[in-house]
Amino acid sequence: MNTIQIKDKTFAVSIPAAVIQREVARVAEEINRDLAGKNPLFLSVLNGSFMFTADLMKHITIPCEVSFVKLASYQGVSSTGTIKEVIGINEDLTNRTVVIVEDIVDTGLTMQRLLETLGTRSLKELHIASLLVKPGKLKIDLNIAYVAMRIPNDFIVGYGLDYDGQGRNYPDIYTVCE
Ligand code: 5GP
């Protein structure tokens, strides 16, 4: 399936599943190497990162924990700028090595909000793992240690990411056709 239709928009495959899987496995290897012995807590940011988190975790071979938070800030095809509250951090993060697992860093505002929240929790180390980064859109200076793929500014769906609630189910990533 090279193109899909979601509501009013057509999308074409831009990153095939095999490429995604290869890059996710590479990121997992980097984490295995860097965070061995630290019992990292992976904090997966729902909803968009559910597929990335599941695939990433299958390649993590060091002792670790995983938990899920929610923080929605996006509707339609452009950032609303409205940042909602972070919900679901129930763990004691004191002295923990935490890895935020995000689907995509666009402007970086969502990540900044999350970092602010976690900044008050006396963590030992904080790392960011993002499936995708749009370097051309980044407004915030972020240190993203683990990036699976860097992409252009276009709007994408698939592999966990949605357009208006749909499209999260595809194993490939699709870019909107102009
Ligand atoms: P930021 O705050 O970095 O501008 O946006 C981050 C959030 O916006 C992501 O977690 C994701 O939910 C959403 N987002 C940004 N770019 C895209 C995109 O191209 N496609 C989809 N589906 N969501 C996006």
Side-chain angles (χ1 to χ4, degrees):
M1 223 186 330
N2 283 331
T3 63
I4 52 169
Q5 183 75 29
I6 303 177
K7 301 192 177 175
D8 60 325
K9 297 204 183 299
T10 307
F11 295 84
V13 171
S14 51
I15 312 177
V19 173
I20 300 171
Q21 293 301 325
R22 185 189 71 207
E23 296 307 314
V24 170
R26 174 188 54 79
V27 164
E29 284 312 314
E30 290 172 15
I31 293 174
N32 286 331
R33 181 197 62 207
D34 295 349
L35 304 185
K38 297 186 170 180
N39 185 27
L41 170 64
F42 292 90
L43 267 192
S44 169
V45 185
L46 294 173
N47 295 326
S49 68
F50 78 95
M51 245 188 227
F52 173 42
T53 304
D55 285 339
L56 182 74
M57 297 312 294
K58 289 181 218 167
H59 293 283
I60 297 293
T61 52
I62 58 175
C64 64
E65 295 166 33
V66 60
S67 190
F68 299 86
V69 297
K70 205 155 184 178
L71 182 152
S73 70
Y74 219 81
Q75 273 171 357
V77 293
S78 67
S79 183
T80 59
T82 319
I83 310 292
K84 293 185 189 161
E85 286 306 298
V86 184
I87 51 170
I89 306 180
N90 302 318
E91 287 76 11
D92 180 6
L93 302 182
T94 309
N95 231 11
R96 295 295 310 262
T97 294
V98 171
V99 182
I100 299 172
V101 182
E102 197 31 311
D103 53 355
I104 183 164
V105 176
D106 187 12
T107 61
L109 289 166
T110 305
M111 186 57 69
Q112 187 185 40
R113 177 77 187 92
L114 198 48
L115 294 177
E116 279 165 14
T117 303
L118 293 174
T120 61
R121 303 248 180 168
S122 309
L123 312 191
K124 186 172 172 192
E125 289 176 41
L126 180 58
H127 306 278
I128 301 170
S130 189
L131 174 71
L132 300 161
V133 175
K134 289 181 182 168
K137 295 276 288 286
L138 217 48
K139 286 186 189 158
I140 313 287
D141 187 22
L142 293 172
N143 177 16
I144 310 175
Y146 306 104
V147 179
M149 292 161 293
R150 291 177 174 79
I151 59 167
N153 292 347
D154 314 304
F155 186 78
I156 53 117
V157 293
Y159 197 69
L161 290 109
D162 74 309
Y163 169 51
D164 209 11
Q166 295 187 358
R168 296 191 194 276
N169 47 305
Y170 295 102
D172 307 291
I173 289 174
Y174 294 76
T175 298
V176 72
C177 301
E178 292 310 326

